[in-house]
């Protein structure tokens, strides 16, 4: 039975207001409200939610897996509110620092933890602008077990030949691309001793997502090196010199998300992450722009977290 079934509109509003007056309820009510609607197909929030779900799949959990804990910064908007969470696992408070990086503490919008055996996935969302004003989304995935790190930059595909019956879905170079490429080149693989076997030490990937259509639509994933090769190919340039990528032009030569996630899980792709210094610099460079940032860290579960999970299970 819903609140609407038990009460009229006015009584329901009063009940919600009373629940909101209790500070401990605010975080849970935000996550409940977030799950009642879907983000607009063209919004940055949709891309942020996609990045969060991709992090969950890379961790080996389904997209609807509940978070063990969720911490939300007061008054901020984050795609985390659209994920599942255990009933008593969400609180609302001031933003936390990411991985001890105090210099972006004020930019953190939310944090959630997920469990799988003795491992934990800790996910953060951060951005300096409001989510509605962000230009794009970056996902940084750091696996402390396989010591690899990858960054996925999201780009929108637009219909070519009509919204209702497009001949193809294409990406046309946006004004931020060259700046993003310049930043990525600063973090090219070095010649230091390898930190574990890799099929590829490429750390950067582009995910091209359809601007409209269901979330299950086929997406394109390209490593930076392949994307740069395409940028040098005149066949992918418009008459005005801008890059234009489409399904038909790529002719199947791209990575699907399932293959990408399999390689990421196995630690077969990504830069060496035995030290987090390069990650610190990368986060700083991303947040100096106007993108939304999702950071996912796969690590061992601490004993105090195991104890907290046990106490929660005893209450259920």
């Amino acid at each position: 039975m819903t609140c609407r079934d038990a009460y009229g509109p006015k009584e329901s509003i009063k009940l919600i207001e009373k629940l909101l007056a209790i500070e401990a309820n605010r975080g849970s009510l935000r996550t409940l409200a977030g799950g009642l609607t879907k983000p607009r197909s063209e919004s940055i929030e949709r891309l942020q939610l996609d990045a969060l779900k991709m992090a969950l799949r890379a961790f080996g959990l389904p997209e609807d897996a509940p978070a063990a804990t969720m911490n939300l910064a007061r008054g901020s908007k984050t795609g985390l509110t659209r994920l599942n969470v255990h009933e008593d696992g969400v609180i609302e408070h001031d933003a936390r620092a990411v991985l001890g990086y105090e210099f972006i503490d004020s930019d953190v919008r939310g944090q959630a933890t997920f469990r799988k055996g003795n491992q934990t996935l800790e996910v953060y969302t951060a951005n300096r602008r409001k989510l509605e004003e962000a230009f794009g989304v970056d996902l940084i995935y750091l696996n402390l077990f396989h010591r690899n790190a990858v960054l996925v930059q999201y780009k929108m595909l637009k219909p070519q030949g009509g919204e209702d019956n497009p001949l193809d879905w294409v990406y046309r170079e946006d004004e931020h691309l060259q700046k993003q490429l310049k930043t990525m080149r600063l973090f090219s693989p070095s010649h230091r001793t390898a930190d574990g076997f890799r099929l590829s030490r490429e750390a950067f990937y582009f995910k091209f997502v359809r601007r409209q259509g269901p979330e299950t639509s086929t997406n394109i994933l390209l490593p930076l090196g392949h994307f740069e090769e395409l940028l040098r190919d005149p066949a992918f340039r418009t008459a005005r010199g801008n890059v234009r990528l489409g399904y038909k032009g790529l002719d199947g030569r791209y990575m699907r998300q399932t293959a990408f996630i399999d390689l990421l899980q196995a630690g077969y792709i990504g830069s060496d992450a035995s030290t987090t210094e390069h990650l610190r610099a990368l986060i700083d460079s991303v947040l100096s722009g106007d993108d939304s940032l999702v950071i996912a860290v796969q690590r061992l579960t601490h004993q105090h977290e195991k104890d907290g999970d046990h106490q929660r299970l005893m209450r259920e």
Side-chain angles (χ1 to χ4, degrees), residues 80-131:
L80 285 174
T81 59
R82 297 184 180 277
L83 299 181
N84 289 335
V85 62
H86 287 293
E87 184 176 352
D88 62 347
V90 58
I91 60 175
E92 186 175 54
H93 66 159
D94 292 331
R96 292 181 48 175
V98 176
L99 302 172
Y101 297 166
E102 294 83 1
F103 65 98
I104 62 171
D105 178 69
S106 61
D107 301 311
V108 179
R109 297 294 177 260
Q111 177 263 357
T113 57
F114 298 83
R115 306 276 193 259
K116 187 188 69 171
N118 289 323
Q119 297 186 32
T120 287
L121 180 71
E122 195 159 12
V123 182
Y124 300 86
T125 57
N127 52 281
R128 286 190 170 154
R129 284 174 173 253
K130 294 179 180 178
L131 196 57

Side-chain angles (χ1 to χ4, degrees), residues 145-210:
F145 290 91
H146 297 308
R147 303 187 303 278
N148 63 318
V150 302
L151 182 144
V152 180
Q153 169 67 56
Y154 278 73
K155 295 293 184 183
M156 281 287 194
L157 294 173
K158 297 182 179 181
Q160 183 182 55
E163 296 276 347
D164 299 327
N165 188 26
L167 299 174
D168 196 6
W169 288 85
V170 300
Y171 165 70
R172 295 181 178 86
E173 183 173 349
D174 58 64
E175 59 182 302
H176 313 291
L177 178 62
Q178 293 304 319
K179 179 181 178 182
Q180 290 163 340
L181 290 174
K182 183 178 180 181
T183 298
M184 292 177 182
R185 290 174 185 130
L186 296 175
F187 297 90
S188 298
S190 67
H191 299 291
R192 64 177 180 270
T193 304
D195 184 14
F197 176 77
R198 300 281 188 273
L199 288 174
S200 170
R201 299 188 183 279
E202 179 64 75
F204 301 98
Y205 293 80
F206 287 85
K207 183 174 182 180
F208 299 90
V209 181
R210 290 185 180 185

Side-chain angles (χ1 to χ4, degrees), residues 50-69 83-86 112-123 141 257 261-262 265 296-299 301 309 312:
D50 184 279
L52 289 165
K53 289 181 177 179
M54 185 157 67
L56 282 174
R57 290 187 59 188
F59 184 53
L61 290 178
E63 295 178 353
D64 59 353
T69 63
L83 299 181
N84 289 335
V85 62
H86 287 293
T113 57
F114 298 83
R115 306 276 193 259
K116 187 188 69 171
N118 289 323
Q119 297 186 32
T120 287
L121 180 71
E122 195 159 12
V123 182
Y141 196 100
Q257 181 167 284
I261 288 175
D262 287 343
Q265 282 182 328
V297 183
Q298 184 175 342
R299 58 168 175 78
T301 302
D309 292 344
R312 187 189 69 248

